[in-house]
Amino acid sequence: MIKGEKTSQKLRYSIRKVSTIGATSAIIGTVAFLGATTTQADEVGVASESTTSATLVTEAEPAVTTEAPQVVETTAVSETPEVVSETTTTASEVPETVSETTAVSEATTAVDTPVTSETTNDSEATSPEVTSASQPSTTVEDKDYSSYSATTIVKETGLTELADALVREAGIDPTTLSAERKEELNKLYVKSTETGTQMTYGDFQSIADTLLEQNEQYAIPYFKASEIKNMAAATTRDAQTGEVADLDVWDSWPVQDIKTGEVVNWNGYQLVVAMMGVPNTNDNHLYLLYNTYADNDLQHWQNAGSIFGYGLDAVTQQWSGSAVVNQDGTIQLYYTNVDTSDNNSNNQMLATATLNLAVENNKVVIKSVDNKNILTPTGGDGYYYQSYAQWRSTFTGADNIAMRDPHVIEDEDGSRYLVFEASTGTQNYQDASQIYNVKNYGRDAKFILSSFFDILDNEDMYIRASVSNAAIGILRLGGTEKAPTIQEFFTPLLSSPMVSDEIERPNVVKLGNKYYLFAASRLNHGSNDYAWQEANKVVGDNVVMLGYVSDSLTGTYEPLNGSGAVLTASVPSDWRTATYSYYAVPVKGSDDLLLITAYMTNRNEVAGKGNNSTWAPSFLIQIMPDGTTKVLAKMTNQGDWIWDESSETQATIGNKETSHLPGEDDGIIEGNPGGYDLKPHTPKAPDKPTEPDTPVVPEQPSTPVTPDTPNTPSVPETPTYSHIEKLHGVPTQTASILPQTGEKDSKINFLGMAMLTSLVVFFTPYKRKRKH
């Protein structure tokens, strides 16, 4: 619908010299003025509202298609000339060039955001409580276009009813469309999918806009770069070479309770499984790390070694997963088995194994690994989730495949499930036809068509949109806890056809009576190049953590914060304090707090030689009753997986100036793989939510003293008006000239004062300032 624009006119009154005849009129006008109780002598604002809406045919598949053009044409004529002229100008530009389309699109609010975000952050710094529970301003309600026919042609325009409705609602003049554009528009259709909650193109744009806003509610807090250390436990024997080396450590997860998700106290220890490997090497294997339970000192962690032994190679790798304690005290590990033997491709399979551990001489040791079992040897099942064979048959080099990162959880009925990253199968498969499904876009007609034209006009975006099909899947486990099997696949909990090709590391946490689904993602694996490229330009990174909520584990999940954005990047990816692979851990005894863990420095020494990937300080987020979240100013030491009274520290809290090492802020870093055009940004540091010292500055009462122009001493300062001073506190120039409404003087005093005023106006040159 085209909304009318509110217009307001301001009528200004100016006082000039008047002629002798005009003086009499001024006296009469003054008396009339005294009777008005609300009119201001300065200016009067009059608002006139014009609301115009376009009414379109909403009947599904009308039998007589010739009636449709009549209704649309009549509606178009009823629009105000101002609206038509503006939308027509925009519309004529939309189909022609990508750059102009982007400028018109709602998607491009991201471009302007950095300009205003600094101001926003400054104001938010003084009143964080105002914005703490607000939803992103970019969240827009989706409109349903399923009632329009995608086959019936409107004769007047040569467009289908669906395309015709979209074009007119977007404010596009159909006569400006080329034959090629009309042909593409007539391919549009509306198809609802069965693949759970869908991330639309509009959601993706909102997530990117949230990142650009750098709102402290979502921005990952600043960490103090000088305090960040490599893990001592990461200097260990490498699984491939068997030699001691300084390893990167990245995706990590604790051994958790299968129901609550809390970190398990295993014989007085906390256990964490981590992906580790030699920097700049194809070295991806799992290690077991341990520490005294609730010890939050990074350097107290120790390494029990490579879980699957030594002498491993790069052909078979082990990637992310989860782990829980079995009833007999053994650890059940779920992980990703990756076979790269097929021309270095990544054939990913969900797998499991049982770890037999022991404590010997105050050290945790791996005694054996039993029950190694690949749960999904073909990758996906093909229908719900893309199989390796399906992917391989169409792979052209631009398509990601995913069947990884299994997260195990048990529901209230005792059933065990795996939530994992996947790609959609034939139920809603990847294809160029997804570009024409209006359902994939979300928002309104203007956004849909602007985005549609962007994709058509950009070859890279077209290819990305054709292969994007990231999903968060779920399956029910059968068998026993040590020998699990797949009992049943379900429709994905989340899918993103045409929008994103990678949403990874899912984990589900139950808080109270609700289930919360979280996942990490890099926006540069999405099809909207303009969105993630702007993030790279402004912030220097495009990583996010997404979040969704449901009343049941397998139920419908709704995005938190309107779009799903929970955490957004706040520093460039090659800074020492850049983070990724966010993993939410519940806080014992709390129904609304989560500890966010991650690794920092984006691997392979991008922050400089010797600055290996390491565990980041953890921090808290709070989930509000209205489905919003906020980052709290609560930070831990590096590698703290359990929040308790000893967790909070000030040592790792940074700000804009301290969150990078010397030289990192100049945009030139040796080995920078992204080639980002690094620019300064101003996310609000979480350690400064209570700095209300700025609002005190604007109090500048010095200006009211300025108008002390006693150039009218001829006016007798009668004590009659002293009560005005008492009423208003500070005497003003107008108070000594014009009587104010509400005074109790007699009519004679009023008339005398009016005459006196008129004479003053007549004989004294006076020019009123106009407001602009």
Side-chain angles (χ1 to χ4, degrees):
M1 302 291 287
I2 300 175
K3 296 183 178 178
E5 298 180 356
K6 294 183 177 181
T7 59
S8 61
Q9 294 178 322
K10 294 186 176 179
L11 307 180
R12 292 179 169 82
Y13 292 92
S14 57
I15 304 175
R16 305 184 182 93
K17 290 183 180 180
V18 292
S19 62
T20 306
I21 299 175
T24 307
S25 299
I27 296 174
I28 299 173
T30 304
V31 175
F33 174 79
L34 295 174
T37 58
T38 59
T39 304
Q40 300 292 323
D42 213 27
E43 61 179 47
V44 178
V46 179
S48 63
E49 179 173 339
S50 172
T51 56
T52 308
S53 60
T55 306
L56 296 171
V57 180
T58 57
E59 292 84 9
E61 306 282 345
V64 184
T65 59
T66 54
E67 294 181 1
Q70 307 258 341
V71 177
V72 176
E73 182 181 1
T74 303
T75 305
V77 172
S78 67
E79 296 172 349
T80 61
E82 292 79 12
V83 174
V84 172
S85 62
E86 290 178 8
T87 54
T88 302
T89 302
T90 302
S92 63
E93 296 171 357
V94 170
E96 298 304 322
T97 63
V98 176
S99 60
E100 294 179 24
T101 302
T102 308
V104 177
S105 170
E106 287 180 8
T108 57
T109 51
V111 177
D112 296 329
T113 302
V115 180
T116 59
S117 63
E118 295 185 10
T119 304
T120 303
N121 286 330
D122 290 340
S123 63
E124 285 165 353
T126 64
S127 56
E129 67 278 5
V130 177
T131 60
S132 61
S134 64
Q135 294 194 12
S137 59
T138 50
T139 302
V140 179
E141 186 176 352
D142 298 342
K143 186 167 181 181
D144 184 14
Y145 290 94
S146 59
S147 62
Y148 294 98
S149 171
T151 56
T152 303
I153 300 295
V154 176
K155 292 182 179 180
E156 182 182 88
T157 60
L159 297 171
T160 66
E161 287 185 358
L162 174 62
D164 185 87
L166 289 168
V167 164
R168 292 187 183 276
E169 285 193 31
I172 298 174
D173 182 354
T175 63
T176 65
L177 295 169
S178 66
E180 291 77 10
R181 272 291 193 245
K182 288 186 176 182
E183 182 180 357
E184 294 296 326
L185 285 166
N186 283 343
K187 295 178 184 177
L188 291 171
Y189 65 94
V190 179
K191 179 184 178 183
S192 298
T193 64
E194 302 174 1
T195 49
T197 301
Q198 183 171 341
M199 178 193 287
T200 66
Y201 204 80
D203 292 333
F204 187 95
Q205 182 65 59
S206 294
I207 294 165
D209 289 345
T210 302
L211 191 157
L212 288 170
E213 287 172 5
Q214 290 293 280
N215 189 325
E216 64 170 348
Q217 185 175 343
Y218 316 103
I220 296 162
Y222 282 124
F223 305 104
K224 194 172 183 179
S226 62
E227 291 293 318
I228 303 306
K229 303 293 187 296
N230 291 344
M231 286 183 66
T235 301
T236 189
R237 287 180 64 197
D238 173 48
Q240 291 188 180
T241 66
E243 298 177 357
V244 175
D246 296 328
L247 307 184
D248 274 343
V249 52
W250 57 101
D251 292 6
S252 306
W253 59 94
V255 175
Q256 296 171 276
D257 183 279
I258 196 170
K259 276 187 175 291
T260 66
E262 295 174 3
V263 178
V264 168
N265 185 337
W266 185 87
N267 296 320
Y269 294 93
Q270 52 182 320
L271 308 173
V272 170
V273 180
M275 288 185 69
M276 300 173 68
V278 176
N280 300 299
T281 306
N282 189 14
D283 186 6
N284 304 284
H285 303 286
L286 301 182
Y287 295 73
L288 179 66
L289 303 169
Y290 65 94
N291 193 3
T292 302
Y293 187 81
D295 186 340
N296 52 30
D297 191 318
L298 176 71
Q299 305 307 348
H300 288 174
W301 284 87
Q302 299 184 65
N303 200 325
S306 170
I307 290 175
F308 295 100
Y310 297 90
L312 305 179
D313 56 38
V315 176
T316 302
Q317 304 173 3
Q318 300 84 40
W319 293 2
S320 292
S322 59
V324 293
V325 179
N326 293 325
Q327 292 181 358
D328 63 358
T330 58
I331 307 301
Q332 196 64 32
L333 172 67
Y334 293 88
Y335 66 101
T336 309
N337 186 84
V338 184
D339 179 4
T340 66
S341 61
D342 184 11
N343 197 26
N344 295 318
S345 63
N346 295 323
N347 184 2
Q348 303 161 33
M349 297 160 275
L350 307 185
T352 186
T354 304
L355 311 185
N356 297 296
L357 309 180
V359 179
E360 298 177 355
N361 301 319
N362 296 321
K363 294 184 181 297
V364 175
V365 296
I366 302 173
K367 302 298 290 184
S368 65
V369 179
D370 302 327
N371 306 319
K372 289 178 63 178
N373 182 29
I374 294 177
L375 299 172
T376 60
T378 63
D381 65 307
Y383 176 69
Y384 292 107
Y385 307 105
Q386 185 181 43
S387 69
Y388 178 75
Q390 286 175 317
W391 172 80
R392 196 63 173 147
S393 66
T394 59
F395 176 66
T396 59
D399 188 10
N400 286 320
I401 185 175
M403 193 63 180
R404 62 177 184 260
D405 305 346
H407 176 83
V408 63
I409 185 171
E410 185 175 289
D411 68 6
E412 57 275 6
D413 298 329
S415 297
R416 291 170 298 141
Y417 295 83
L418 287 184
V419 178
F420 52 92
E421 179 190 359
S423 302
T424 58
T426 57
Q427 183 190 37
N428 191 24
Y429 203 59
Q430 64 183 44
D431 192 85
S433 65
Q434 293 282 5
I435 296 171
Y436 300 90
N437 187 359
V438 173
K439 278 283 188 180
N440 291 337
Y441 291 91
R443 296 200 183 181
D444 58 11
K446 184 177 179 181
F447 177 81
I448 292 168
L449 292 190
S450 177
S451 303
F452 176 61
F453 294 149
D454 281 350
I455 293 174
L456 292 182
D457 295 339
N458 185 308
E459 183 179 1
D460 182 68
M461 291 172 63
Y462 188 90
I463 293 173
R464 287 168 174 262
S466 300
V467 299
S468 290
N469 64 335
I472 299 298
I474 185 170
L475 61 83
R476 181 187 291 124
L477 291 171
T480 63
E481 60 180 4
K482 285 188 176 182
T485 59
I486 294 180
Q487 182 173 324
E488 182 181 9
F489 283 99
F490 296 95
T491 292
L493 300 178
L494 173 69
S495 63
S496 58
M498 195 203 80
V499 176
S500 177
D501 210 26
E502 184 179 82
I503 303 174
E504 56 184 349
R505 285 219 76 198
N507 74 313
V508 177
V509 180
K510 186 178 183 184
L511 296 179
N513 59 354
K514 293 184 179 295
Y515 287 88
Y516 293 87
L517 167 66
F518 298 99
S521 184
R522 299 181 189 274
L523 298 184
N524 65 347
H525 287 282
S527 58
N528 189 340
D529 287 3
Y530 302 126
W532 62 262
Q533 287 171 358
E534 189 66 17
N536 286 356
K537 177 182 176 183
V538 174
V539 179
D541 205 355
N542 56 74
V543 298
V544 296
M545 185 176 87
L546 308 174
Y548 303 82
V549 61
S550 174
D551 291 329
S552 66
L553 177 58
T554 59
T556 300
Y557 283 80
E558 297 296 332
L560 295 170
N561 300 314
S563 67
V566 174
L567 294 176
T568 59
S570 56
V571 300
S573 67
D574 49 9
W575 283 16
R576 180 59 166 151
T577 57
T579 57
Y580 188 55
S581 195
Y582 311 102
Y583 193 88
V585 180
V587 174
K588 191 172 184 177
S590 174
D591 285 343
D592 64 351
L593 294 179
L594 289 168
L595 186 68
I596 304 300
T597 64
Y599 75 87
M600 66 174 18
T601 304
N602 216 348
R603 297 180 57 193
N604 298 326
E605 299 177 319
V606 296
K609 184 71 175 176
N611 292 325
N612 291 359
S613 288
T614 182
W615 283 347
S618 301
F619 58 94
L620 291 179
I621 64 169
Q622 184 174 18
I623 299 179
M624 313 303 288
D626 62 353
T628 60
T629 64
K630 64 178 179 180
V631 175
L632 301 183
K634 302 285 186 181
M635 196 177 293
T636 74
N637 290 321
Q638 288 176 256
D640 194 344
W641 294 83
I642 302 169
W643 177 268
D644 58 25
E645 59 185 11
S646 68
S647 294
E648 188 172 1
T649 180
Q650 300 294 312
T652 54
I653 295 179
N655 55 40
K656 182 180 178 182
E657 290 71 31
T658 64
S659 61
H660 57 78
L661 297 175
E664 281 187 335
D665 60 338
D666 61 10
I668 304 172
I669 299 175
E670 185 178 355
N672 178 2
Y676 293 142
D677 178 18
L678 305 185
K679 305 220 179 211
H681 60 290
T682 56
K684 172 72 174 58
D687 56 323
K688 299 179 182 178
T690 56
E691 291 189 63
D693 50 337
T694 46
V696 183
V697 179
E699 297 186 19
Q700 297 176 301
S702 55
T703 48
V705 185
T706 306
D708 53 343
T709 54
N711 57 342
T712 55
S714 57
V715 181
E717 298 183 22
T718 58
T720 312
Y721 300 100
S722 61
H723 66 282
I724 298 178
E725 297 179 8
K726 294 179 182 178
L727 234 102
H728 298 282
V730 181
T732 62
Q733 185 177 357
T734 53
S736 62
I737 299 176
L738 289 176
Q740 303 297 307
T741 58
E743 295 201 13
K744 307 298 182 182
D745 299 319
S746 65
K747 294 181 180 179
I748 297 176
N749 288 338
F750 274 11
L751 184 57
M753 187 59 194
M755 295 175 65
L756 180 61
T757 302
S758 301
L759 292 174
V760 171
V761 171
F762 176 72
F763 289 106
T764 305
Y766 183 83
K767 182 179 291 185
R768 178 178 297 275
K769 290 184 177 179
R770 296 185 62 186
K771 285 191 176 181
H772 294 283

